[in-house]
Amino acid sequence: MIDMPLDHRVFTALEGNPHVARRDLRFETQEGRVTLRGVVGTYYQKQMAQEAVRGVEGVEEIANEVEVCWA
């Protein structure tokens, strides 16, 4: 899987996580750093997005800028 670009590996990890609504998230990758953005309904979903990315090979740093909005 390391042969795939980092952004593809991150996308796959988020898509495969049943606790994350991928359509509400965006991300950017740059030299091992992943920045997560978007809006989710709970702090749990925010944390699960980060945890899904944490296990991706090649990720060295995660900036979790995901917002939680109950509305």
XYZ file of all heavy atoms in Angstrom:
567
model
N 0.824 -1.201 0.000
C 0.000 0.000 0.000
C 0.864 1.260 0.000
O 0.398 2.323 -0.356
C -0.922 -0.031 1.210
C -2.026 0.974 1.144
S -3.440 0.321 2.034
C -4.320 1.803 2.290
N 2.114 1.140 0.395
C 3.002 2.302 0.425
C 3.261 2.833 -0.982
O 3.668 3.970 -1.151
C 4.328 1.967 1.166
C 5.125 3.214 1.484
C 5.166 0.995 0.366
C 4.564 4.089 2.531
N 2.979 2.016 -2.015
C 3.166 2.463 -3.390
C 2.118 3.490 -3.800
O 2.320 4.215 -4.768
C 3.120 1.275 -4.358
C 4.285 0.329 -4.139
O 5.327 0.785 -3.627
O 4.153 -0.859 -4.476
N 1.013 3.546 -3.082
C -0.024 4.528 -3.386
C 0.366 5.885 -2.805
O 1.012 5.945 -1.758
C -1.367 4.109 -2.778
C -2.019 2.957 -3.471
S -3.698 2.699 -2.843
C -3.361 1.695 -1.417
N -0.045 6.966 -3.442
C 0.210 8.301 -2.877
C -0.460 8.433 -1.504
O -1.483 7.796 -1.238
C -0.429 9.256 -3.889
C -0.597 8.464 -5.135
C -0.737 7.037 -4.720
N 0.111 9.267 -0.656
C -0.406 9.451 0.697
C -1.866 9.885 0.694
O -2.661 9.382 1.484
C 0.453 10.461 1.467
C 0.050 10.715 2.914
C 0.038 9.418 3.716
C 0.961 11.745 3.552
N -2.240 10.789 -0.199
C -3.629 11.252 -0.197
C -4.597 10.109 -0.500
O -5.681 10.038 0.061
C -3.844 12.449 -1.131
C -3.499 12.167 -2.576
O -2.738 11.221 -2.845
O -3.996 12.913 -3.439
N -4.189 9.176 -1.341
C -5.051 8.028 -1.641
C -5.161 7.103 -0.431
O -6.242 6.594 -0.124
C -4.525 7.258 -2.852
C -5.416 6.143 -3.279
N -6.613 6.363 -3.916
C -5.312 4.803 -3.123
C -7.205 5.195 -4.148
N -6.424 4.234 -3.668
N -4.066 6.899 0.288
C -4.092 6.055 1.481
C -4.977 6.677 2.559
O -5.713 5.978 3.256
C -2.672 5.827 2.003
C -1.832 4.976 1.061
C -0.542 4.543 1.706
N 0.255 5.649 2.204
C 1.317 6.156 1.588
N 1.704 5.664 0.427
N 1.991 7.141 2.122
N -4.896 7.991 2.734
C -5.734 8.683 3.716
C -7.208 8.571 3.317
O -8.070 8.272 4.146
C -5.308 10.162 3.872
C -6.331 10.946 4.679
C -3.930 10.245 4.512
N -7.508 8.809 2.050
C -8.883 8.689 1.556
C -9.433 7.300 1.840
O -10.551 7.144 2.339
C -8.930 8.988 0.052
C -10.290 8.829 -0.547
C -11.214 9.854 -0.481
C -10.657 7.650 -1.180
C -12.485 9.707 -1.031
C -11.914 7.493 -1.734
C -12.832 8.529 -1.663
N -8.652 6.275 1.549
C -9.074 4.898 1.762
C -9.336 4.622 3.243
O -10.317 3.960 3.596
C -8.007 3.929 1.212
O -7.845 4.183 -0.191
C -8.404 2.486 1.417
N -8.478 5.144 4.107
C -8.657 4.949 5.554
C -9.939 5.609 6.045
O -10.681 5.037 6.847
C -7.452 5.497 6.308
N -10.216 6.805 5.580
C -11.438 7.499 5.992
C -12.673 6.805 5.437
O -13.687 6.667 6.131
C -11.397 8.963 5.556
C -10.389 9.841 6.295
C -10.283 11.208 5.627
C -10.752 9.985 7.765
N -12.604 6.357 4.191
C -13.736 5.662 3.574
C -14.046 4.362 4.307
O -15.200 3.967 4.407
C -13.426 5.338 2.105
C -13.615 6.487 1.170
C -15.081 6.796 0.924
O -15.864 5.894 0.591
O -15.441 7.964 1.084
N -13.020 3.704 4.806
C -13.201 2.419 5.450
C -13.611 2.491 6.908
O -13.867 1.468 7.535
N -13.704 3.686 7.460
C -14.066 3.833 8.869
C -15.570 4.050 8.984
O -16.083 5.068 8.523
C -13.308 5.008 9.487
C -13.504 5.088 10.982
O -14.612 5.012 11.477
N -12.411 5.252 11.696
N -16.291 3.123 9.610
C -17.754 3.243 9.684
C -18.234 4.362 10.614
O -19.406 4.718 10.587
C -18.194 1.877 10.219
C -17.016 1.391 10.997
C -15.802 1.918 10.260
N -17.330 4.937 11.413
C -17.710 5.977 12.374
C -17.539 7.387 11.813
O -17.812 8.358 12.502
C -16.886 5.846 13.651
C -16.993 4.494 14.271
N -18.145 4.046 14.897
C -16.115 3.472 14.323
C -17.952 2.809 15.323
N -16.738 2.442 14.990
N -17.086 7.474 10.565
C -16.782 8.775 9.979
C -17.656 8.992 8.751
O -17.695 8.144 7.860
C -15.289 8.853 9.567
C -14.985 10.166 8.886
C -14.393 8.652 10.779
N -18.331 10.132 8.700
C -19.118 10.494 7.520
C -18.180 11.206 6.550
O -17.945 12.401 6.650
C -20.278 11.392 7.909
N -17.591 10.464 5.651
C -16.556 10.980 4.744
C -17.025 12.192 3.952
O -16.266 13.101 3.680
C -16.113 9.846 3.822
C -15.228 10.227 2.670
C -13.849 10.681 3.130
N -13.136 11.210 1.994
C -13.032 12.479 1.686
N -13.613 13.394 2.430
N -12.368 12.874 0.643
N -18.296 12.234 3.618
C -18.780 13.338 2.783
C -18.654 14.686 3.486
O -18.679 15.729 2.861
C -20.224 13.088 2.350
C -21.225 13.186 3.473
C -22.643 12.853 3.021
N -23.588 13.039 4.074
C -23.760 12.245 5.125
N -22.997 11.172 5.250
N -24.663 12.506 6.043
N -18.544 14.663 4.803
C -18.458 15.899 5.573
C -17.018 16.305 5.885
O -16.796 17.281 6.586
C -19.232 15.753 6.890
C -20.709 15.482 6.653
O -21.241 15.988 5.639
O -21.319 14.776 7.455
N -16.052 15.535 5.388
C -14.651 15.808 5.690
C -13.851 16.114 4.438
O -14.137 15.615 3.359
C -14.014 14.601 6.392
C -14.558 14.241 7.764
C -13.850 12.995 8.277
C -14.363 15.388 8.728
N -12.850 16.930 4.631
C -11.867 17.215 3.589
C -10.498 17.031 4.227
O -10.358 17.093 5.443
C -12.002 18.653 3.091
C -13.359 18.982 2.513
C -13.464 20.443 2.087
N -13.022 21.416 3.075
C -13.710 21.824 4.140
N -14.882 21.300 4.401
N -13.239 22.740 4.950
N -9.503 16.834 3.424
C -8.161 16.733 3.970
C -7.138 17.178 2.945
O -7.408 17.203 1.737
C -7.853 15.298 4.435
C -7.799 14.299 3.315
C -6.610 14.047 2.646
C -8.933 13.617 2.928
C -6.563 13.128 1.608
C -8.904 12.697 1.889
C -7.708 12.458 1.238
N -5.989 17.562 3.442
C -4.850 17.909 2.603
C -3.653 17.127 3.119
O -3.536 16.902 4.320
C -4.546 19.404 2.689
C -5.657 20.302 2.211
C -5.373 21.773 2.507
O -4.237 22.105 2.924
O -6.299 22.571 2.347
N -2.785 16.716 2.222
C -1.558 16.046 2.633
C -0.366 16.807 2.060
O -0.435 17.341 0.955
C -1.500 14.593 2.135
O -1.529 14.581 0.705
C -2.664 13.777 2.672
N 0.689 16.849 2.864
C 1.921 17.478 2.402
C 3.084 16.947 3.226
O 3.151 17.175 4.440
C 1.845 18.998 2.538
C 3.069 19.698 1.983
C 2.940 21.208 2.043
O 2.018 21.761 2.629
N 3.888 21.879 1.430
N 3.945 16.197 2.586
C 5.173 15.691 3.196
C 4.934 15.026 4.549
O 5.575 15.344 5.541
C 6.192 16.813 3.320
C 6.601 17.384 1.984
C 7.574 18.541 2.108
O 8.027 18.843 3.228
O 7.887 19.133 1.065
N 3.994 14.102 4.617
C 3.726 13.359 5.838
C 2.763 14.030 6.802
O 2.374 13.444 7.806
N 2.372 15.252 6.508
C 1.426 15.968 7.371
C 0.036 15.899 6.744
O -0.138 16.178 5.558
C 1.844 17.424 7.526
C 0.865 18.252 8.332
C 1.317 19.712 8.395
N 0.299 20.572 8.928
C 0.195 20.919 10.207
N 1.069 20.476 11.075
N -0.773 21.709 10.614
N -0.964 15.549 7.556
C -2.348 15.495 7.095
C -3.147 16.520 7.892
O -3.092 16.549 9.118
C -2.958 14.090 7.302
C -4.418 14.074 6.871
C -2.165 13.045 6.547
N -3.877 17.372 7.179
C -4.765 18.332 7.816
C -6.198 17.915 7.518
O -6.583 17.815 6.354
C -4.512 19.761 7.291
O -3.142 20.102 7.515
C -5.412 20.768 7.988
N -6.941 17.635 8.580
C -8.348 17.258 8.461
C -9.211 18.484 8.684
O -8.976 19.249 9.620
C -8.701 16.206 9.509
C -7.992 14.866 9.409
C -8.275 14.028 10.649
C -8.422 14.139 8.155
N -10.231 18.653 7.834
C -11.172 19.770 7.971
C -12.581 19.267 7.679
O -12.766 18.238 7.064
C -10.823 20.890 6.992
C -9.518 21.567 7.299
C -9.347 22.826 6.458
N -8.136 23.514 6.816
C -6.976 23.391 6.192
N -6.874 22.597 5.150
N -5.908 24.056 6.600
N -13.549 20.030 8.110
C -14.938 19.682 7.853
C -15.760 19.817 9.111
O -15.319 20.399 10.102
N -16.964 19.273 9.056
C -17.895 19.369 10.177
C -18.482 17.988 10.435
O -18.903 17.304 9.506
C -19.031 20.370 9.869
C -20.025 20.424 11.005
C -18.464 21.751 9.578
N -18.504 17.598 11.712
C -19.120 16.339 12.122
C -20.093 16.629 13.261
O -20.085 17.723 13.831
C -18.064 15.299 12.561
C -17.203 14.876 11.384
C -17.219 15.827 13.707
N -20.899 15.646 13.614
C -21.933 15.858 14.616
C -21.510 15.598 16.051
O -22.190 16.022 16.974
N -20.382 14.886 16.253
C -19.962 14.562 17.619
C -18.438 14.630 17.734
O -17.716 14.506 16.740
C -20.405 13.146 18.035
O -19.690 12.189 17.248
C -21.906 12.946 17.875
N -17.998 14.790 18.982
C -16.555 14.745 19.240
C -15.996 13.352 18.947
O -14.851 13.206 18.548
C -16.251 15.154 20.685
C -16.370 16.643 20.883
C -17.485 17.190 21.483
C -15.361 17.498 20.446
C -17.613 18.563 21.649
C -15.482 18.867 20.601
C -16.598 19.398 21.206
O -16.715 20.752 21.351
N -16.807 12.335 19.143
C -16.401 10.966 18.836
C -16.046 10.832 17.357
O -15.016 10.243 17.009
C -17.522 9.996 19.211
C -17.194 8.553 18.915
C -16.319 7.844 19.721
C -17.762 7.911 17.817
C -16.013 6.520 19.447
C -17.460 6.593 17.530
C -16.586 5.900 18.350
O -16.279 4.588 18.059
N -16.876 11.379 16.471
C -16.592 11.313 15.037
C -15.312 12.062 14.700
O -14.521 11.618 13.863
C -17.762 11.868 14.234
C -18.986 10.977 14.282
C -20.184 11.624 13.627
O -20.370 12.841 13.698
N -21.016 10.814 13.000
N -15.102 13.189 15.353
C -13.865 13.953 15.141
C -12.658 13.103 15.520
O -11.690 13.021 14.766
C -13.899 15.239 15.966
C -12.622 16.041 15.868
C -12.700 17.332 16.670
C -11.363 18.073 16.570
N -11.481 19.459 17.021
N -12.740 12.459 16.668
C -11.637 11.626 17.123
C -11.447 10.409 16.230
O -10.319 10.010 15.940
C -11.870 11.182 18.572
C -10.700 10.451 19.180
C -9.461 11.325 19.298
O -9.563 12.524 19.513
N -8.302 10.727 19.143
N -12.531 9.811 15.769
C -12.431 8.636 14.903
C -11.799 8.974 13.556
O -11.073 8.168 12.985
C -13.804 8.000 14.692
C -14.328 7.253 15.910
S -13.310 5.844 16.403
C -12.293 6.550 17.690
N -12.054 10.171 13.055
C -11.400 10.603 11.811
C -9.889 10.663 12.025
O -9.109 10.186 11.194
C -11.937 11.963 11.374
N -9.482 11.220 13.142
C -8.055 11.317 13.441
C -7.441 9.929 13.634
O -6.356 9.648 13.119
C -7.845 12.156 14.700
C -6.386 12.298 15.083
C -6.192 13.280 16.210
O -6.826 14.331 16.231
N -5.334 12.951 17.144
N -8.146 9.056 14.338
C -7.622 7.716 14.582
C -7.523 6.903 13.292
O -6.604 6.105 13.134
C -8.478 6.984 15.618
C -8.350 7.561 17.012
C -6.910 7.606 17.506
O -6.196 6.586 17.399
O -6.488 8.670 18.001
N -8.450 7.104 12.368
C -8.392 6.401 11.089
C -7.138 6.785 10.323
O -6.485 5.950 9.701
C -9.641 6.715 10.256
N -6.778 8.049 10.399
C -5.609 8.551 9.664
C -4.306 8.177 10.384
O -3.288 7.931 9.753
C -5.725 10.084 9.475
C -4.461 10.663 8.888
C -6.922 10.405 8.602
N -4.356 8.089 11.702
C -3.158 7.801 12.484
C -2.480 6.501 12.045
O -1.262 6.389 12.046
C -3.487 7.725 13.964
C -2.280 7.508 14.852
C -2.626 7.386 16.316
N -3.481 8.422 16.832
C -3.078 9.658 17.153
N -1.841 10.013 16.984
N -3.946 10.530 17.633
N -3.261 5.517 11.655
C -2.699 4.225 11.276
C -2.186 4.138 9.853
O -1.687 3.093 9.441
N -2.269 5.208 9.101
C -1.859 5.193 7.695
C -0.341 5.321 7.602
O 0.264 6.225 8.193
C -2.539 6.332 6.907
C -1.998 6.418 5.491
C -4.045 6.139 6.902
N 0.256 4.407 6.868
C 1.692 4.437 6.674
C 2.096 5.713 5.934
O 1.485 6.085 4.940
C 2.128 3.211 5.877
C 3.608 2.992 5.875
C 3.985 1.635 5.316
O 3.084 0.830 5.021
O 5.187 1.395 5.179
N 3.087 6.396 6.460
C 3.564 7.633 5.849
C 3.065 8.890 6.533
O 3.569 9.977 6.277
N 2.076 8.752 7.413
C 1.564 9.909 8.148
C 2.472 10.157 9.349
O 2.663 9.291 10.191
C 0.110 9.700 8.620
C -0.339 10.831 9.535
C -0.817 9.593 7.420
N 3.040 11.347 9.399
C 3.938 11.712 10.488
C 3.308 12.709 11.451
O 3.690 12.780 12.614
C 5.223 12.303 9.915
C 5.988 11.331 9.033
C 7.148 11.960 8.314
O 7.523 13.100 8.638
O 7.677 11.305 7.404
N 2.341 13.466 10.960
C 1.710 14.499 11.778
C 0.271 14.687 11.317
O -0.019 14.621 10.123
C 2.483 15.809 11.618
C 1.985 16.947 12.459
C 2.815 18.211 12.247
O 3.878 18.159 11.622
O 2.358 19.259 12.707
N -0.635 14.933 12.287
C -2.046 15.162 11.970
C -2.486 16.467 12.611
O -2.294 16.669 13.813
C -2.940 14.020 12.499
C -2.505 12.686 11.909
C -4.410 14.302 12.174
C -3.145 11.487 12.575
N -3.053 17.344 11.805
C -3.678 18.568 12.307
C -5.185 18.363 12.173
O -5.718 18.341 11.062
C -3.223 19.781 11.512
N -5.854 18.170 13.301
C -7.290 17.898 13.285
C -8.044 19.208 13.477
O -8.236 19.671 14.590
C -7.652 16.887 14.376
C -9.068 16.385 14.228
O -9.875 16.984 13.545
N -9.370 15.285 14.871
N -8.481 19.802 12.371
C -9.217 21.064 12.386
C -10.714 20.836 12.150
O -11.438 21.758 11.805
C -8.643 22.011 11.339
C -7.188 22.364 11.609
C -6.587 23.281 10.551
O -7.313 23.731 9.641
O -5.368 23.507 10.649
N -11.167 19.612 12.357
C -12.566 19.261 12.186
C -13.393 19.947 13.265
O -12.995 19.985 14.433
C -12.762 17.734 12.256
C -14.240 17.365 12.232
C -12.021 17.054 11.100
N -14.522 20.520 12.871
C -15.412 21.197 13.813
C -16.576 20.276 14.164
O -17.039 19.502 13.349
C -15.972 22.479 13.179
C -14.903 23.513 12.891
C -15.493 24.751 12.252
O -16.535 25.218 12.737
O -14.913 25.220 11.260
N -17.041 20.404 15.412
C -18.201 19.652 15.868
C -19.383 20.614 15.940
O -19.310 21.659 16.552
C -17.938 19.021 17.256
C -19.190 18.295 17.747
C -16.757 18.068 17.192
N -20.472 20.233 15.266
C -21.671 21.069 15.233
C -22.888 20.156 15.400
O -23.102 19.249 14.613
C -21.757 21.816 13.918
S -23.192 22.878 13.790
N -23.681 20.408 16.431
C -24.844 19.570 16.703
C -26.072 20.007 15.921
O -27.055 19.327 15.919
C -25.164 19.596 18.204
C -24.130 18.872 18.989
C -24.024 17.534 19.157
C -23.052 19.443 19.710
N -22.941 17.227 19.928
C -22.332 18.394 20.281
C -22.604 20.746 19.919
C -21.200 18.600 21.065
C -21.473 20.926 20.697
C -20.797 19.878 21.249
N -26.022 21.125 15.269
C -27.206 21.640 14.580
C -27.498 20.900 13.307
O -26.768 20.294 12.685
C -27.030 23.116 14.261
